[in-house]
Amino acid sequence: MVDKYAVIGNPVAHSKSPLIHEAFARQTHQNMTYERILAPLDGFAATIQDLITKGYKGVNVTVPFKFEAFKVAKGSTVRALEAGAANTLIFNADGVIADNTDGVGLVNDITKNLHQPLTGKRILLLGAGGAAEGVLGPLLESGPDLLVIANRTLDKALAMKNKVELEQGHLITTVSACTFSELQDQEFDVLINATSAGLTDAALPIPDSVFASDCLAYDMMYGRETPFMAQARANGARVADGLGMLVEQAAEAFYLWRGIRTETLPVIEMVRAL
Ligand code: ATR
């Protein structure tokens, strides 16, 4: 029997996950299918139950169901627990297990594909919503010297900082939280835009001085040049979008399901060429 997987979202028609997983399956000779499933906004749990009944082995979860996905699971990995959200569910004999591969996907893209070390570096994480929360744990595990969470709403950045300090106990990284206007006299080696401001082409009010020489500016969005990317480019930064992260988070999910590591660079090139 063919093993069945899917990505669940609402909307989901735009998702590139089927293309990516089909490419991984061809590359590693896995007999599996991967489809898009549109779940009703109030019907996520019922959709999961239906898929389990039909013998699916696991799913990826996208907007807006990542928090609900974490809640429907019987067990979860530390990564999902820290993020309070899941992008990957594994269906096995014990029930539904939740994981979150977004953070490791980001870290792998930055360190392996873009060859930018994070250990000992100064990181600026822009945003304090679900996307930022999903990557904070793995960023800290990579051992930066400093990680500043900057957000339009200060309270959300402070809550993220307090939560991670509570969860992780003694951190080797100095973590701080601030608003964009407080970034005046600081510069960073790696700047990550995890806000959704780029969706509306809104610029972030960050000073040009945040871009250290030789820095990497990473936007977790893909498919368009955001104002953040344009500002970074104008300040001499190396700039990357989130396409590599998308493929890397998928590779980690594929590994959880199939136990096989995949070659990601050819798949990143394939998706970029579409
Ligand atoms: P996501 O799941 O994409 O993270 P979210 O949880 O709604 O979505 O979070 C969106 C993030 O983008 C937040 O950090 C938000 O800032 P606030 O916490 O102040 O709302 C940020 N954001 C969205 N639009 C923005 C804009 N125009 N300027 C600055 N920050 C913005």
Side-chain angles (χ1 to χ4, degrees):
M1 227 173 72
V2 181
D3 288 342
K4 291 182 286 191
Y5 299 90
V7 55
I8 305 184
N10 188 332
V12 78
H14 65 284
S15 172
K16 296 193 190 310
S17 291
L19 272 173
I20 296 170
H21 282 279
E22 280 156 19
F24 289 157
R26 275 195 304 277
Q27 193 191 95
T28 58
H29 310 292
Q30 298 295 294
N31 193 16
M32 57 183 270
T33 59
Y34 189 106
E35 17 169 341
R36 290 182 188 91
I37 293 178
L38 178 73
L41 289 175
D42 61 353
F44 178 75
T47 303
I48 292 293
Q49 207 43 59
D50 181 50
L51 295 179
I52 293 171
T53 309
K54 289 178 175 154
Y56 281 69
K57 299 280 183 188
V59 292
N60 285 132
V61 180
T62 186
V63 175
F65 299 123
K66 289 185 180 183
F67 298 102
E68 218 177 328
F70 173 69
K71 290 192 192 121
V72 301
K74 186 179 164 204
S76 74
T77 61
V78 173
R79 301 191 292 210
L81 197 66
E82 280 174 2
N87 75 337
T88 305
L89 297 178
I90 305 151
F91 304 157
N92 63 25
D94 298 331
V96 179
I97 307 296
D99 199 350
N100 194 318
T101 66
D102 284 332
V104 73
L106 172 69
V107 168
N108 282 346
D109 192 37
I110 291 176
T111 58
K112 294 183 183 159
N113 301 335
L114 300 167
H115 306 289
Q116 168 66 57
L118 294 172
T119 311
K121 301 297 182 189
R122 298 162 296 180
I123 300 179
L124 174 61
L125 181 60
L126 298 160
E133 207 147 352
V135 299
L136 181 59
L139 282 174
L140 288 171
E141 272 159 41
S142 63
D145 262 358
L146 172 71
L147 191 147
V148 175
I149 306 162
N151 196 44
R152 180 174 62 183
T153 312
L154 177 62
D155 282 355
K156 281 165 74 179
L158 280 171
M160 249 174 87
K161 167 185 142 70
N162 292 339
K163 180 166 169 263
V164 79
E165 281 177 344
L166 256 178
E167 274 169 3
Q168 306 226 345
H170 179 71
L171 281 169
I172 57 166
T173 306
T174 304
V175 180
S176 68
C178 65
T179 58
F180 299 127
S181 60
E182 291 171 87
L183 292 168
Q184 244 355 299
D185 300 316
Q186 304 182 64
E187 58 173 34
F188 298 89
D189 308 301
V190 179
L191 302 94
I192 299 164
N193 183 14
T195 72
S196 52
L199 281 175
T200 54
D201 272 336
L204 298 172
I206 54 173
D208 287 339
S209 52
V210 291
F211 300 97
S213 57
D214 292 332
C215 71
L216 172 70
Y218 193 104
D219 202 307
M220 283 168 54
M221 280 190 51
Y222 60 88
R224 61 158 80 199
E225 172 93 351
T226 63
F228 168 74
M229 290 162 82
Q231 183 184 6
R233 229 181 273 287
N235 283 282
R238 186 155 68 105
V239 174
D241 72 0
L243 187 63
M245 173 181 171
L246 177 75
V247 175
E248 292 294 341
Q249 63 76 28
E252 190 71 14
F254 192 90
Y255 175 70
L256 290 168
W257 294 328
R258 312 299 300 178
I260 300 173
R261 293 274 173 211
T262 52
E263 290 280 338
T264 49
L265 285 179
V267 180
I268 293 172
E269 275 169 32
M270 178 201 78
V271 180
R272 198 173 288 291
L274 290 173

